[in-house]
């Protein structure tokens, strides 16, 4: 969940920055001399800004994850502990079984939450990171199921597909926000219209980005079922189900503490937050694997 939200936030900030810079320098002007909108110019401008924001976010994804989560990368040639070497070997074994030619970077980071994630701009530049709590709270079979799930994300190209989807969503966000801002600027005094238009663009872009994130998060939930299937194929269905059951048990143990929000392979069970969840319900995922 943290990785996905970090990607969306980075994308929004990059997109806003690019849009502001281009607007300040008058690049991609879409308002014609009569005060109307040139929809073709606006659509081209929106596509450039939208996809640039998504692609830059993808390119920065691995670097950002390492910095934000303080990931310690484990290199096979380093003097690793027994547990660290086992983790690296497990990731490499499952990656090879998935047909990957380039092994992902493997990392560990300090956290009291059971959590793991895979990220990176491509299969050649991917990262699988696991929290310390995952290694202490879950047994080896459950960890293998989780690793298989994360490797499946890389093999399935989920980050690239999400980036393309985010680019399309961004394009509509930029396009619609400027039309809405133009409409608002038309009903205010002419002398303050440019300032109102500038501020309205930023406000509408943030609002529409939040709405657009629902589409991206819906895809995120959909792709988890495919990653579960991939994890079952790589690590074994029993281990994948065991991993999900282990996460359920951990969630139950932590339900009365501040650690209730587990960031990997599960969602907050409250139905009202489902639209903003990155993962589907654990029981539904287990049911699908069993079927």
């Amino acid at each position: 969940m943290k990785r996905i939200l970090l990607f969306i936030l980075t994308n929004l900030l990059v997109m806003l920055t690019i849009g502001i810079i281009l607007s300040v320098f008058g690049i991609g002007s879409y308002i014609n001399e009569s005060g109307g909108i040139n929809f073709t110019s606006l659509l081209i401008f929106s596509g450039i800004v939208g996809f640039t924001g998504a692609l830059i976010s993808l390119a920065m994804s691995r670097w950002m994850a390492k910095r934000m989560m303080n990931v310690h990368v484990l290199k096979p040639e380093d003097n690793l502990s027994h547990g660290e070497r086992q983790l690296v070997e497990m990731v490499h074994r499952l990656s090879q079984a998935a047909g990957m030619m380039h092994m992902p970077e493997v990392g560990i980071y300090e956290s009291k939450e059971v959590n793991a994630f895979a990220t990176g701009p491509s299969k050649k530049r991917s990262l699988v990171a696991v929290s310390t709590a995952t290694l202490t709270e879950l047994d080896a079979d459950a960890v293998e199921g989780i690793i298989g799930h994360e490797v499946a994300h890389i093999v399935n190209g989920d980050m690239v597909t999400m980036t393309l989807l985010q680019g399309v969503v961004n394009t509509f966000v930029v396009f619609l926000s400027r039309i809405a801002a133009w409409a608002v600027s038309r009903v205010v005094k002419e002398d303050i219209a440019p300032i109102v238009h500038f501020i309205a663009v930023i406000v509408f872009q943030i609002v529409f980005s939040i709405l657009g994130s629902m589409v991206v998060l819906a895809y995120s939930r959909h792709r988890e079922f495919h990653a579960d299937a991939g994890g079952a194929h790589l690590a074994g269905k029993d281990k994948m189900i065991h991993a999900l059951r282990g996460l359920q048990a951990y969630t139950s143990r932590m339900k009365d503490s501040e650690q209730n929000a587990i960031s990997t392979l599960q969602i907050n069970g409250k139905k009202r937050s489902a639209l903003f969840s990155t993962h589907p319900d654990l029981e539904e995922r287990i049911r699908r694997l069993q079927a």
Side-chain angles (χ1 to χ4, degrees), residues 87-140:
L87 178 62
V88 172
E89 290 174 352
M90 180 185 293
V91 173
H92 288 184
R93 173 168 53 81
L94 293 175
S95 299
Q96 289 169 350
M100 292 182 63
M101 301 298 293
H102 300 271
M103 296 298 100
E105 284 187 330
V106 183
I108 294 179
Y109 63 96
E110 288 288 337
S111 176
K112 295 180 180 180
E113 294 182 348
V114 172
N115 193 1
F117 64 86
T119 192
S122 67
K123 294 179 184 179
K124 291 183 179 180
R125 298 178 59 209
S126 57
L127 166 71
V128 174
V130 180
S131 70
T132 50
T134 301
L135 302 178
T136 57
E137 295 287 341
L138 303 179
D139 60 32

Side-chain angles (χ1 to χ4, degrees), residues 15-16 18-20 23 30-31 37 42 45-46 49 172-183 197 200-202 204-205 208:
M15 189 171 59
L16 280 171
I18 294 173
I20 291 172
S23 297
Y30 51 87
I31 299 179
I37 293 179
L42 178 56
F45 173 83
S46 301
V49 174
F172 280 100
V173 167
V174 174
F175 187 81
L176 295 175
S177 64
R178 278 155 178 77
I179 290 178
W182 171 83
H197 180 272
V201 164
I202 297 176
F204 281 122
Q205 196 159 305
F208 289 148

Side-chain angles (χ1 to χ4, degrees), residues 34-47:
S34 62
I37 293 179
N38 185 325
F39 288 99
T40 301
S41 298
L42 178 56
L43 185 59
I44 294 173
F45 173 83
S46 301

Side-chain angles (χ1 to χ4, degrees), residues 159-199:
M159 283 301 291
V160 175
T161 307
M162 177 172 288
T163 299
L164 296 176
L165 175 61
Q166 185 70 67
V168 173
V169 170
N170 288 351
T171 299
F172 280 100
V173 167
V174 174
F175 187 81
L176 295 175
S177 64
R178 278 155 178 77
I179 290 178
W182 171 83
V184 171
S185 68
R186 300 283 288 183
V187 299
V188 299
K189 294 182 179 180
E190 189 173 342
D191 57 337
I192 63 171
I195 297 176
V196 171
H197 180 272
F198 182 79
I199 296 174

Side-chain angles (χ1 to χ4, degrees), residues 71-88:
V71 175
H72 171 59
V73 176
L74 306 176
K75 299 180 180 179
E77 62 271 18
D78 290 346
N79 184 25
L80 304 177
S81 67
H82 177 68
E84 291 173 338
R85 190 163 297 280
Q86 278 189 322
L87 178 62
V88 172

